[in-house]
Amino acid sequence: MEHRIVGPGPYRATRLWNETVELFRTKMPLRKHRCRFKSYERCFTAAEAVDWLHELLRRSQNFGPEVTRKQTVQLLKKFLKNHVIEDIKGKWGQEDFEDNRHLYRFPPSSPLRPYPKRPPYQKDVIKFPEWDDPLPGTSQENIPVRPVVMNSEMWYKRHSIAIGEVPACRLVHRRQLTEANVEELWKTMTLSYLQKILGLDSLEEVLNVNLVNSKFIIHNVYSVSNQGVVILDDKSKELPHWVLSAMKCLANWPNCSDLKQPMYLGFEKDVFKTIADYYGHLKEPLLTFHLFDAFVSVLGLLQKEKMAIEAFQVCCLLLPPENRRKLQLLMRMMARICLNKEMPPLCDGFGTRTLMVQTFSHCILCSKDEVDLDDLLAARLVTFLMDNYQEILKVPLALQTSIEERVAHLRRVQFQKSYPEVYQERFPTPESEALLFPEKPKAKPQLLMWALKNPFQPFQRTRSFRM
């Protein structure tokens, strides 16, 4: 019973569904069962299916050991709805599957899901201006020229240009490196960096690059506090004060310095429910709908932890600043609650860590369209985020350095072409340095005593060449 690792790439959720269905149909043990004085061949009970599939999912590196039995039942309900299984009488199409002794079987054929066809995204790239590009509304014909008195010298110059001996002069418009150029550079290099980590030929099937906002990337890199949390310019997009106070209360439990109300038995459960209700009613998940495929694709790299963290760092830079801030505060609270040994149980049926994952996974990652594995994928991602949130929500230093160096290089080239003489004085070339600072003659090395064959042998006069 092995689950093949499904790596990053387009349609990873669909590939995972097909892989799980194939394993379930081919490996699930079937045997003879009796129900109401009648025997049925090659079938299984609902409880047997839950036991077997739960073990498969927990041992799979695509889902991990955090998968609960309740999630397995939810997946089998979707199997029944999509006719992966049917009851012993051939009924299917509804999610009325329960963990009991009811008998089920496989239909004769269970078609796998086809991969969705998406229109190719048109990438709108801002072109960097060339040095000889004319400004809008200008042309060579409309350049104002002073009247010139024709004489023999001017006639000779014009004649030389006409016959091709001297090239004609053209007006060159030198432009500045605009803010739009810098923003497009940040966007292009960030997406290229993500594509390289994922090892894909293109990001078209994983991400709509037209929806990537370069201003979000720059804001998430530079507008941060000393703790690395994003600072918002628009304060109306901040977390409500009562939600932020509730999160601080649980994150610092039992030292709630901001708390002005008296605590009572079960107070921490009510505070937790308040936070869960707020995040559960968000209109869009924190990782946004259009980035769902990108984050699911990165989940295929979890076997290479360092590479997965780096890919998640880049994906989180693409988030709107308000989403990134909410995610940072939420993950910090979840991690502190899980590590706090003084925190009372917040739920009788689940452990604290499992409760955190089950409560907030849907508000962090979910798909706009129906994806049957989104609950399991979201739980897998949130588990990894909790364990590595400090690294994942950092700005990738290598990416930031490479982009800043590229921007500095382009500005230096712009300055060089605009002011060549000043540039030569400030940034001399090796040739100009050689003229200003000529190389000094090298001193001959002194003769060392131990360089002689016999340094202490007395001098002997050799034979003279004179006859």
Side-chain angles (χ1 to χ4, degrees), residues 163-219:
I163 64 177
E165 292 182 357
V166 179
C169 297
R170 297 178 61 85
L171 182 64
V172 177
H173 299 272
R174 292 172 177 171
R175 294 187 178 180
Q176 301 292 327
L177 190 64
T178 64
E179 183 179 353
N181 299 147
V182 176
E183 291 176 357
E184 179 63 21
L185 188 64
W186 271 92
K187 175 180 175 178
T188 304
M189 293 189 66
T190 301
L191 295 178
S192 300
Y193 194 75
L194 178 61
Q195 179 179 334
K196 181 180 179 181
I197 297 175
L198 295 178
L200 301 177
D201 296 331
S202 174
L203 292 177
E204 287 186 357
E205 303 293 346
V206 173
L207 179 68
N208 185 351
V209 296
N210 294 328
L211 298 179
V212 176
N213 193 326
S214 57
K215 296 182 183 294
F216 292 168
I217 302 175
I218 299 174
H219 187 100

Side-chain angles (χ1 to χ4, degrees), residues 301-320:
L301 294 174
L302 293 191
Q303 293 74 31
K304 304 174 182 178
E305 182 174 322
K306 184 177 179 181
M307 189 178 297
I309 291 176
E310 196 172 9
F312 277 130
Q313 284 179 336
V314 180
C315 287
C316 289
L317 283 183
L318 309 181
L319 296 174

Side-chain angles (χ1 to χ4, degrees), residues 372-390:
D372 291 325
L373 293 177
D374 57 354
D375 293 337
L376 293 174
L377 296 173
R380 180 65 166 153
L381 182 140
V382 173
T383 301
F384 190 78
L385 273 177
M386 287 178 58
D387 295 335
N388 304 277
Y389 80 97
Q390 291 182 332

Side-chain angles (χ1 to χ4, degrees), residues 16-27:
L16 275 173
W17 171 271
N18 292 340
E19 178 76 12
T20 306
V21 169
E22 284 183 336
L23 279 176
F24 185 56
R25 284 179 58 86
T26 57
K27 301 294 184 180

